């Protein structure tokens, strides 16, 4: 009521006065309030939207959340005889009324923050500096012009003669060695002597020092 009383006194002294009332209906919807009739947990899907984009409570005659809760205030001001010029911030923002001012503040955000920092009583850790405006705009343009990501085709199924590798490539198994036939009454060739296998103690030592066996075994040998 203080602005109304000031405006009324100035008007009484013969001056032209505009009493402005700003409806902050473009603020975001922060959470679902409890105890509001016609509102349930499904309103949580609208969190983050402007108040004029949130549905009014069920059964309300108003088109959105902001208009529903503004109606009682408008009615009370009329009963009190308060004269004012209303301004909807939804209309202002969507019409671009603040565009130049916002861009100016973004270009000089470091200067603005330095001035505000002189009067801050609670010191907070410095945040990482934001990217320059032109760099951020360039990345946004590149992101919007980037073609949509496509899904890579699935690897072909492996057959009995191939086996897929870890990277998705196909590896062909080596061909089988040719089969030779030994004529009858031919002496059987002597088999080469088997090479001595490493003792279990050597494998155990390798496994305990490096975690895997250095011998011909496929994995570490337990002692």
């Amino acid at each position: 009521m203080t602005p109304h009383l000031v405006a009324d006194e100035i008007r009484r002294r013969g001056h032209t006065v505009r009493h402005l009332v700003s409806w902050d209906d473009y603020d975001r919807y922060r959470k679902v309030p409890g105890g509001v009739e016609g509102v349930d947990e499904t309103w949580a899907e609208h969190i983050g939207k402007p108040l004029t984009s949130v549905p009014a409570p069920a059964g309300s005659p108003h088109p959105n959340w902001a208009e529903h809760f503004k109606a009682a205030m408008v009615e009370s001001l009329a009963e009190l005889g308060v004269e004012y010029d209303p301004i909807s911030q939804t209309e202002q923002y969507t019409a671009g009324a603040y565009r130049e001012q916002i861009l100016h503040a973004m270009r000089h955000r470091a200067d603005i923050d330095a001035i505000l920092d002189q009067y801050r009583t609670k010191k907070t850790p410095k945040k990482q500096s934001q990217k320059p405006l032109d760099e951020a705009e360039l990345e946004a343009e590149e992101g919007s012009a980037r073609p949509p990501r496509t899904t890579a085709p699935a690897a072909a199924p492996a057959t009995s003669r191939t086996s897929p590798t870890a990277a998705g490539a196909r590896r062909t198994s080596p061909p089988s060695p040719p089969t030779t036939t030994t004529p009858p009454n031919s002496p059987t060739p002597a088999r080469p002597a088997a090479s001595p296998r490493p003792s279990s103690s050597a494998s155990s030592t390798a496994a305990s020092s490096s975690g895997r066996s250095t011998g011909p075994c496929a994995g570490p040998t337990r002692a």
Side-chain angles (χ1 to χ4, degrees):
M1 290 295 293
T2 301
H4 163 68
L5 296 176
V6 173
D8 192 56
E9 177 61 21
I10 294 176
R11 190 180 295 110
R12 189 184 65 80
R13 298 183 183 188
H15 302 283
T16 302
V17 180
R18 288 187 66 201
H19 177 191
L20 302 178
V21 172
S22 173
W23 300 114
D24 293 336
D25 48 14
Y26 206 61
D27 287 1
R28 69 184 183 91
Y29 184 60
R30 299 180 181 274
K31 65 178 181 178
V32 180
V36 178
E37 185 178 357
V39 176
D40 55 26
E41 64 276 1
T42 60
W43 262 258
E45 66 182 84
H46 303 290
I47 291 176
K49 296 180 180 179
L51 296 176
T52 46
S53 298
V54 178
S60 171
H62 302 285
N64 55 62
W65 189 273
E67 292 297 326
H68 173 80
F69 287 97
K70 187 171 70 175
M73 182 69 175
V74 171
E75 183 179 353
S76 297
L77 292 175
E79 292 179 359
L80 293 172
V82 176
E83 299 179 4
Y84 62 93
D85 293 338
I87 297 178
S88 168
Q89 294 303 326
T90 296
E91 296 177 0
Q92 295 295 304
Y93 276 101
T94 56
Y98 307 130
R99 181 179 183 275
E100 294 303 321
Q101 292 87 340
I102 292 174
L103 290 175
H104 178 82
M106 291 176 65
R107 295 188 187 101
H108 299 278
R109 56 178 173 262
D111 300 331
I112 296 173
D113 189 66
I115 295 173
L116 293 175
D117 194 50
Q118 298 177 12
Y119 303 96
R120 290 190 177 108
T121 57
K122 184 178 180 180
K123 298 297 182 181
T124 56
K126 289 185 176 295
K127 297 181 180 180
Q128 184 178 1
S129 59
Q130 301 181 17
K131 295 181 179 179
L133 182 62
D134 52 354
E135 183 180 347
E137 289 179 344
L138 181 61
E139 288 189 0
E141 292 177 0
E142 291 178 351
S144 60
R146 188 176 301 163
R149 182 179 298 177
T150 57
T151 304
T159 63
S160 59
R161 298 295 298 171
T162 60
S163 59
T165 62
R170 298 170 67 85
R171 182 178 61 198
T172 305
S173 301
S176 301
T179 303
T180 58
T181 303
T182 305
N185 302 326
S186 298
T188 303
R191 294 183 180 179
S195 58
R197 300 181 64 180
S199 63
S200 60
S201 60
S203 298
S204 299
T205 303
S208 62
S209 60
S210 61
R212 64 176 64 185
S213 174
T214 57
C217 301
T221 304
R222 299 180 179 272

